[in-house]
Amino acid sequence: MQALAFYAAYPLIWLIARLPFSVIYMISDVVYFFLYYVIKYRRKTVLANLALAFPQKTKSQLQQLSRESTRHFCDLFIEMIKSTAISKQQLKKRFICREVGEINAFAEANQPVVVMLGHQASYEWTIALDDLLKFKSYAVYKPIKNKYFDQFIRNIRSKFGTTLVPMKRAYALLKKSQQSNQEVGLFALVADQSPKPSAAQFFTQFFNKTTPVFLGGERMAHQYAMPVYFLRIEKKQRGHYEAYFEKITDNAQKEKDWYVTDTFFEKLEEQIKQQPAYYLWSHKRWKIDPSNVRRTVELSPRVPL
């Protein structure tokens, strides 16, 4: 069944990926109309999340943000498809990263680095960084259930050199490079993903809400005394993005528990407030709280008791 779903969709994916940008954004507009006005895809969830994050906004303002967010979501989806056929030259014009010298200095010093980013603007087109960074890049990811689409996503995100690895594999790679003095890597994590209810254990404060989070990035950086950076991505116009590396710490091992994770969420929240329509609001981020989890709860110092 998984193979049938993939091979039924692939011819359309292949065709769309080879269309010019002007045409694919027309397709995105059509998809947006059906998704928002006909199917009403997760409209209640998006509006509920926006209302929690921005309680000061009026109903009409929240509805406008909901429409803009869904339109951006459709653009992201179509851009991901376009990624299968996009060239380095095209991508370099559309995803610009400023001032990478500080990051590359760590590569020259043989120092691995952790980079944390959120579901903001274009997290898919960060594959453009492969051509700018002197590191071997690893994207820490969670596999998709459909193994055919999982491999498809892996192929997209690794087309310019990045290697996709699960978190446990990332630890093994770091340990091996430390022991054998092999080439060090940059480990990138989309660090605002929500754990399943059965896995929820750690909670911080995000938009003044107690929010379940993963601590994998912080713990990996702490164990190997790694610098940690936040990747800020801004949408400049449709199909055009700019990214900036912002330092969280030079050495996570010297920081207190929760410092790295909390600083990441502070920076992400600040970024979202500047461009709220470009965040992924369609997931139920606040459906889990410390009172309904199975594991022993650990709270960030930012969570009010």
Side-chain angles (χ1 to χ4, degrees):
M1 198 65 184
Q2 289 185 349
L4 180 62
F6 175 75
Y7 288 114
Y10 187 76
L12 183 59
I13 292 171
W14 186 94
L15 175 61
I16 293 173
R18 284 151 182 82
L19 295 173
F21 278 97
S22 59
V23 177
I24 68 166
Y25 285 123
M26 290 173 62
I27 295 172
S28 179
D29 289 340
V30 173
V31 173
Y32 159 72
F33 178 83
F34 280 97
L35 206 64
Y36 190 83
Y37 292 102
V38 180
I39 301 173
K40 299 181 180 180
Y41 175 76
R42 297 195 177 183
R43 272 174 58 171
K44 290 183 179 179
T45 298
V46 171
L47 278 170
N49 284 339
L50 286 168
L52 283 171
F54 303 103
Q56 75 282 6
K57 291 190 180 296
T58 65
K59 183 177 179 180
S60 62
Q61 288 174 326
L62 293 173
Q63 289 174 337
Q64 177 63 25
L65 275 178
S66 175
R67 289 190 292 270
E68 292 174 1
S69 177
T70 304
R71 185 182 293 277
H72 174 69
F73 173 78
C74 293
D75 281 358
L76 276 184
F77 179 73
I78 213 78
E79 287 167 4
M80 181 188 69
I81 293 174
K82 182 65 176 175
S83 299
T84 64
I86 200 169
S87 67
K88 282 186 179 181
Q89 291 71 26
Q90 286 179 309
L91 193 56
K92 284 171 68 175
K93 292 178 181 178
R94 292 178 171 273
F95 190 99
I96 298 169
C97 189
R98 306 293 187 186
E99 301 175 2
V100 297
E102 187 173 335
I103 292 292
N104 282 332
F106 286 111
E108 293 167 354
N110 209 39
Q111 169 64 60
V113 171
V114 168
V115 173
M116 304 171 76
L117 62 149
H119 287 90
Q120 174 76 5
S122 178
Y123 42 93
E124 291 291 348
W125 277 1
T126 53
I127 58 176
L129 298 176
D130 285 332
D131 205 40
L132 300 173
L133 301 177
K134 296 179 180 180
F135 274 105
K136 170 64 179 175
S137 297
Y138 298 95
V140 181
Y141 88 114
K142 182 180 179 181
I144 300 172
K145 289 182 179 180
N146 186 314
K147 65 179 182 181
Y148 298 93
F149 279 106
D150 181 68
Q151 186 60 52
F152 174 71
I153 296 298
R154 287 169 63 91
N155 290 342
I156 292 175
R157 295 177 181 172
S158 62
K159 69 177 293 181
F160 295 139
T162 292
T163 300
L164 273 72
V165 294
M167 178 58 77
K168 290 182 180 180
R169 177 63 178 149
Y171 274 99
L173 286 167
L174 268 169
K175 184 177 181 180
K176 186 176 181 181
S177 68
Q178 295 287 315
Q179 292 176 341
S180 60
N181 200 31
Q182 291 182 338
E183 179 186 15
V184 298
L186 180 148
F187 293 83
L189 304 90
V190 180
D192 61 337
Q193 299 188 65
S194 298
K196 296 178 180 179
S198 60
Q201 181 176 9
F202 307 105
F203 290 81
T204 190
Q205 202 76 350
F206 186 44
F207 281 99
N208 296 315
K209 302 295 177 184
T210 303
T211 308
V213 297
F214 289 107
L215 292 185
E218 175 173 329
R219 289 184 167 180
M220 179 169 65
H222 181 273
Q223 182 174 341
Y224 291 98
M226 298 164 71
V228 183
Y229 280 76
F230 171 67
L231 183 65
R232 179 184 297 270
I233 306 171
E234 299 175 358
K235 188 171 185 176
K236 294 302 185 181
Q237 63 186 75
R238 199 175 201 184
H240 292 269
Y241 305 88
E242 285 191 11
Y244 310 83
F245 287 101
E246 296 182 3
K247 186 186 295 180
I248 292 178
T249 180
D250 281 322
N251 182 349
Q253 204 169 76
K254 295 180 179 180
E255 308 295 350
K256 295 181 180 179
D257 289 347
W258 284 99
Y259 175 81
V260 168
T261 300
D262 283 346
T263 303
F264 162 73
F265 276 99
E266 287 172 4
K267 287 181 174 292
L268 178 61
E269 183 174 326
E270 174 197 352
Q271 177 190 10
I272 293 168
K273 287 177 178 177
Q274 291 174 357
Q275 294 189 316
Y278 304 145
Y279 189 61
L280 188 64
W281 295 107
S282 54
H283 294 310
K284 296 180 179 179
R285 297 190 184 280
W286 293 295
K287 68 179 180 180
I288 306 170
D289 64 60
S291 66
N292 60 14
V293 299
R294 302 175 186 175
R295 299 186 176 192
T296 302
V297 171
E298 181 179 330
L299 300 178
S300 157
R302 296 180 67 212
V303 176
L305 298 177

